[in-house]
Amino acid sequence: MRAISFLGTGSYETVTYTWRGKTWETHLFPEALVKFFEVDALFVLVTPQVKSHPNFLELCNRLGKLVHPLEIPEGKSEEELWQIFDRCVEVVDEHDEILLDITHAFRSIPLIVFTVAAYLRRTRNVTVRHIVYGALVEKGVANVLDLVPLLELLDWLTGAEFLLRRGDAALLAEQIETVHERLWRGHGSGEVPRKLQSLSGKLTSLSLALYFAHPRSVMQDASRLKKMFDVVTPEVQRWAKPFGVILTRVREALDRLAHNAPDCLDAENLRKQFALIVYLLEKGLTPQAVLLAREWVVSYCILARGNGDWLDRGTRLKVEEVLWKAIQAYCRKEDVDVPDWFAAIPGARDIAGIWDELSELRNKIAHCSLYKGSQDAESLERQANKVLARLQVLLDGVPLSSLRGNRVTIDLQSLYEGTAKLEDLPMYISRIQELAGEGKEVVLTGQAPVWLYLSVAHALHGKARRLLYASPVTGETVIFDHSPE
């Protein structure tokens, strides 16, 4: 470990320094530093005047070859401050472990030290083990303080800025993970956090969902994070206090996006998706906003139609075909028939126009400006803001109905030929579980014996989110519903 320290020409008092149960009496703190920490090299930054002063000569006499002088100017100008910065940086290599000491530093040197520490960590993957300061508590007695937590505060603030300004929680998640690992690595028999790591995982998941513009995942992760904050707050206040400071602002951001029923398409779901579109635009994630807006129009039309699995790819493709016909009929005045259900939607012509603009804009973005006559990024961003503002008009007329998505319909009669056999039940159940998947809405239908229906219902309990029975006579009947409230 390399240590960087400072020395002046002052008349330093002899002090007993204390560090975690160890003590050392000296008037030159760098000497105590070497006694407290396993230092391989001690670089002492000195001005020409200090280099010939008794303080430095005595330190060299006491520590011998461990001391390496680094000559610096006095720091009376901006240029000299940068020279001091460069001298600190030039003795540190990639992946080094360093200790910084500001006990005898003067003028603006402590600020430079913190800047050096932040720079080295980001650019050279340096580990800053300690930033120490011998603080006098009474005459002749000083405690050695470690100021690394203040350096870590810069990381927390950077992470908070990334989340609040760019929607990127990766740095915050990384910082929480680092705190968790450090506490567990050195806890001994002491108390350690139990929930911080799961908070880190959820922040990472949310960040990825935002960057891939996955609205259902964003709604779900935001909802779970809100609930988690209530549980993890005591640990945050104790072990990740800087994150606690920004917790309120993070909650406000999550409130805009959280929704407990992301698979249920209704007015609230569309409003949350629209809020996410606005959020993505605010964070400069224009391509993601445009992609989601285009899918938003499809979802809006499916809800207006009032039937179908809105998460089924085939269903969405058929609605897209209708939208292209609407463009031909309403925007290009071609002789094309538009289904009655679409023509009956209030603002159908506006929807066709918005779909046309969004599709063209999506294509421009997707081609990455790699063709002649393509528009620059600023122009595309202006277009995006303009067309997405038109979605607000549609939002005011969202139908007050709801549709369940992620639905699987299983005809039990298709499991066998002729008559169902009890000895084949394990095979039936295996096939049903394969078809049903995990966490979906499952509809059971078809002519089958009661024992098969009961066995299947039991087998899907805990696997299906929602289970229904459907017949031409009764319609749909809910058997169980484990959807989030």
Side-chain angles (χ1 to χ4, degrees):
M1 182 165 64
R2 299 184 176 191
I4 298 176
S5 185
F6 298 84
L7 204 61
T9 58
S11 179
Y12 301 126
E13 293 183 42
T14 297
V15 172
T16 299
Y17 291 100
T18 301
W19 167 258
R20 296 182 180 176
K22 300 178 182 178
T23 60
W24 191 263
E25 186 177 81
T26 181
H27 67 289
L28 300 172
F29 179 74
E31 181 187 6
L33 182 154
V34 170
K35 302 300 179 182
F36 293 152
F37 303 95
E38 295 181 2
V39 174
D40 299 309
L42 174 63
F43 296 91
V44 183
L45 278 74
V46 291
T47 63
Q49 184 182 3
V50 174
K51 192 173 182 180
S52 60
H53 192 273
N55 284 345
F56 182 68
L57 298 177
E58 183 177 356
L59 183 68
C60 291
N61 184 52
R62 293 188 180 190
L63 300 181
K65 294 182 179 180
L66 196 63
V67 178
H68 302 272
L70 292 176
E71 196 165 313
I72 59 171
E74 293 187 6
K76 293 183 177 181
S77 67
E78 183 177 342
E79 182 181 356
E80 289 188 350
L81 292 177
W82 277 111
Q83 289 175 19
I84 295 172
F85 177 92
D86 290 339
R87 293 298 279 163
C88 290
V89 168
E90 68 186 24
V91 297
V92 181
D93 295 326
E94 191 87 10
H95 301 296
D96 271 353
E97 291 187 5
I98 64 171
L99 180 153
L100 301 169
D101 163 39
I102 61 172
T103 304
H104 295 325
F106 49 96
R107 298 194 185 99
S108 57
I109 296 296
L111 181 59
I112 294 176
V113 168
F114 273 91
T115 307
V116 166
Y119 171 80
L120 289 173
R121 290 207 303 173
R122 291 298 179 194
T123 62
R124 297 190 184 176
N125 296 311
V126 166
T127 300
V128 181
R129 287 296 180 197
H130 306 281
I131 301 177
V132 294
Y133 174 68
L136 199 66
V137 292
E138 58 181 86
K139 187 172 178 59
V141 179
N143 288 336
V144 178
L145 306 179
D146 191 350
L147 305 181
V148 161
L150 295 180
L151 179 63
E152 290 177 348
L153 180 59
L154 296 177
D155 293 332
W156 286 105
L157 294 175
T158 301
E161 184 177 18
F162 266 64
L163 175 61
L164 298 174
R165 293 187 61 181
R166 305 297 295 178
D168 187 349
L171 287 179
L172 269 183
E174 178 184 317
Q175 191 64 17
I176 291 171
E177 182 74 20
T178 298
V179 169
H180 179 91
E181 289 181 358
R182 186 178 68 230
L183 290 168
W184 272 86
R185 190 168 54 242
H187 77 284
S189 59
E191 194 175 350
V192 290
R194 303 284 177 180
K195 303 178 179 68
L196 281 182
Q197 195 170 40
S198 58
L199 177 61
S200 170
K202 283 290 181 290
L203 284 169
T204 300
S205 177
L206 174 65
S207 187
L208 283 172
L210 285 168
Y211 269 78
F212 279 94
H214 290 179
R216 293 160 56 230
S217 296
V218 169
M219 293 178 202
Q220 181 173 277
D221 288 340
S223 297
R224 289 176 177 174
L225 271 169
K226 283 180 60 182
K227 294 176 182 177
M228 184 176 288
F229 283 164
D230 295 331
V231 177
V232 81
T233 293
E235 288 192 2
V236 168
Q237 294 298 341
R238 180 170 180 181
W239 286 297
K241 199 171 185 66
F243 182 63
V245 175
I246 62 165
L247 205 54
T248 300
R249 292 196 63 189
V250 176
R251 281 179 183 272
E252 291 172 357
L254 294 179
D255 281 338
R256 296 172 59 184
L257 308 176
H259 187 47
N260 289 326
D263 286 349
C264 179
L265 181 63
D266 56 12
E268 183 62 17
N269 189 302
L270 282 177
R271 289 191 184 96
K272 288 295 182 179
Q273 288 194 48
F274 182 79
L276 177 55
I277 293 169
V278 174
Y279 181 88
L280 292 170
L281 277 178
E282 290 173 353
K283 306 310 176 189
L285 302 174
T286 304
Q288 290 92 326
V290 171
L291 290 175
L292 180 54
R294 192 171 178 274
E295 295 299 326
W296 188 92
V297 173
V298 176
S299 299
Y300 182 97
C301 292
I302 294 174
L303 185 61
R305 188 179 64 179
N307 61 71
D309 181 353
W310 72 288
L311 296 176
D312 176 70
R313 184 61 185 143
T315 299
R316 300 186 72 84
L317 286 173
K318 288 177 182 178
V319 171
E320 287 186 18
E321 290 175 8
V322 172
L323 283 164
W324 287 117
K325 289 181 179 179
I327 290 174
Q328 291 175 283
Y330 298 143
C331 303
R332 298 170 189 165
K333 308 300 181 183
E334 298 177 10
D335 187 17
V336 175
D337 291 330
V338 176
D340 292 340
W341 67 264
F342 183 86
I345 300 175
R349 291 178 181 274
D350 289 335
I351 293 172
I354 292 171
W355 174 259
D356 194 14
E357 288 186 53
L358 281 172
S359 298
E360 183 180 352
L361 185 56
R362 192 276 303 267
N363 289 338
K364 290 177 181 177
I365 292 172
H367 289 297
C368 304
S369 189
L370 293 177
Y371 56 89
K372 292 180 179 179
S374 59
Q375 294 173 294
D376 57 33
E378 290 80 4
S379 176
L380 292 175
E381 188 170 42
R382 285 194 298 273
Q383 286 184 48
N385 280 278
K386 183 179 178 181
V387 67
L388 295 180
R390 297 179 63 187
L391 294 182
Q392 180 69 58
V393 178
L394 299 181
L395 193 65
D396 294 336
V398 172
L400 299 177
S401 56
S402 64
L403 293 173
R404 292 282 177 176
N406 229 5
R407 168 179 282 214
V408 176
T409 299
I410 302 174
D411 186 343
L412 295 189
Q413 194 173 4
S414 66
L415 297 174
Y416 54 87
E417 293 182 5
T419 305
K421 299 176 181 179
L422 192 59
E423 59 267 27
D424 290 336
L425 181 59
M427 182 179 65
Y428 301 153
I429 295 299
S430 176
R431 179 57 179 156
I432 287 290
Q433 290 177 332
E434 180 184 342
L435 293 170
E438 292 283 345
K440 298 181 180 180
E441 180 174 278
V442 180
V443 180
L444 301 179
T445 188
Q447 292 183 357
V450 173
W451 59 263
L452 181 54
Y453 268 99
L454 292 175
S455 298
V456 169
H458 179 74
L460 293 180
H461 198 273
K463 294 182 68 69
R465 185 190 74 247
R466 197 164 179 257
L467 185 65
L468 301 94
Y469 166 71
S471 80
V473 177
T474 64
E476 291 187 353
T477 303
V478 177
I479 300 172
F480 63 74
D481 189 347
H482 295 157
S483 302
E485 295 181 358

